[in-house]
Amino acid sequence: LFEDQSSPVHNDPQAAMSKVAVIYYSMYGHIKTMADEVKKGLEAGGATVTMFQVAETLPEEVLKKMGAPAKASDPVMDYSKLDSLPDFDGFIFGFPTRFGMMCAQFKAFLDSTGGLWMAGKLAGKPCSCFTSTGTQGGGAETTILTAVTQLTHHGMLFVPIGYSTQDILNMDEMHGGSPYGAHTLAGGDGSRQPSDIEKRIAVHQGTHCAGLFKKLTAEPSAAKPKIAII
């Protein structure tokens, strides 16, 4: 029942290549590490990937006091780049938790997309999410679940991973990852780095989404879809 179920369409050379933006916020590097693994999975699934980080909202002196390292070199998705978002076929968002919800930096990015919302520019676009928490019970599922409200108002399609990889069911060691999306445990002091299992789940999320995004962007088939209204 729980075999790896990444969509087989990613092996189809005739399938249209989808353009995917991975947009993330990372203070201590955990989410950046996971974003890089998601990117590997997307590219393995045949997608073209562009990486963005959202703008920092904390002053530099505060970041220094918090011991935050220098930011990665990925371009910043600021207000000047928002008009490029409709050009992407799908998105994967990554953000750490703050009291069971996404961090303020990522919320500020989403708050800046009001113009796209008014014009319906992101309606119908698929989006998946991944996160990090300090502890096992640190709000991984609620962080992604509460992010769905943002996607809903845009009319976007939330893409979870379900139990499409056996790694989520692994009980041999402590690890992150849920049906909602990939997840890493950072530890209360941030010293724990993403484990091999967590990285594999992130790669799987990328591959899984690449296949589904391709299906959604493929040319419509002449055959009528079979839909059940239950």
Side-chain angles (χ1 to χ4, degrees):
L1 175 61
F2 295 119
E3 296 177 357
D4 282 4
Q5 297 168 10
S6 298
S7 172
V9 75
H10 74 266
N11 293 320
D12 180 3
Q14 302 303 317
M17 182 175 287
S18 55
K19 291 176 57 180
V20 181
V22 176
I23 306 176
Y24 70 91
Y25 174 79
S26 188
M27 178 176 284
Y28 293 108
H30 300 81
I31 288 291
K32 166 59 176 170
T33 297
M34 296 290 278
D36 288 340
E37 298 300 317
V38 169
K39 180 176 183 283
K40 292 176 185 177
L42 284 165
E43 290 177 338
T48 58
V49 184
T50 305
M51 300 276 285
F52 295 102
Q53 56 186 321
V54 303
E56 182 58 78
T57 59
L58 292 175
E60 188 63 33
E61 59 268 25
V62 173
L63 292 172
K64 288 181 179 178
K65 290 180 180 179
M66 297 175 70
K71 296 294 183 185
S73 60
D74 295 319
V76 175
M77 174 50 70
D78 57 20
Y79 194 77
S80 68
K81 298 183 180 71
L82 290 180
D83 287 342
S84 69
L85 292 179
D87 296 333
F88 292 96
D89 299 311
F91 304 91
I92 300 186
F93 293 161
F95 35 77
T97 189
R98 297 291 186 268
F99 302 110
M101 296 185 291
M102 70 173 63
C103 61
Q105 291 88 343
F106 207 91
K107 182 63 166 61
F109 154 65
L110 289 173
D111 286 348
S112 72
T113 61
L116 298 176
W117 165 71
M118 286 289 290
K121 293 290 188 178
L122 300 182
K125 301 280 188 181
C127 183
S128 196
C129 301
F130 62 96
T131 189
S132 68
T133 64
T135 62
Q136 283 181 291
E141 293 192 352
T142 61
T143 300
I144 295 178
L145 184 60
T146 53
V148 174
T149 61
Q150 319 293 308
L151 308 184
T152 299
H153 279 263
H154 271 291
M156 300 173 76
L157 309 177
F158 173 56
V159 180
I161 60 174
Y163 289 93
S164 57
T165 172
Q166 285 281 349
D167 279 324
I168 291 181
L169 297 168
N170 184 299
M171 295 293 289
D172 295 334
E173 64 179 82
M174 181 180 69
H175 65 86
S178 78
Y180 293 88
H183 158 228
T184 185
L185 303 168
D189 61 358
S191 61
R192 184 184 182 277
Q193 296 301 311
S195 68
D196 289 343
I197 289 179
E198 291 165 350
K199 290 179 180 179
R200 287 201 303 268
I201 294 173
V203 171
H204 171 80
Q205 184 165 359
T207 308
H208 182 75
C209 288
L212 292 175
F213 291 3
K214 280 183 181 179
K215 284 184 176 180
L216 291 171
T217 57
E219 291 295 324
S221 170
K224 289 184 178 181
K226 295 174 64 176
I227 301 173
I229 299 177
I230 302 175

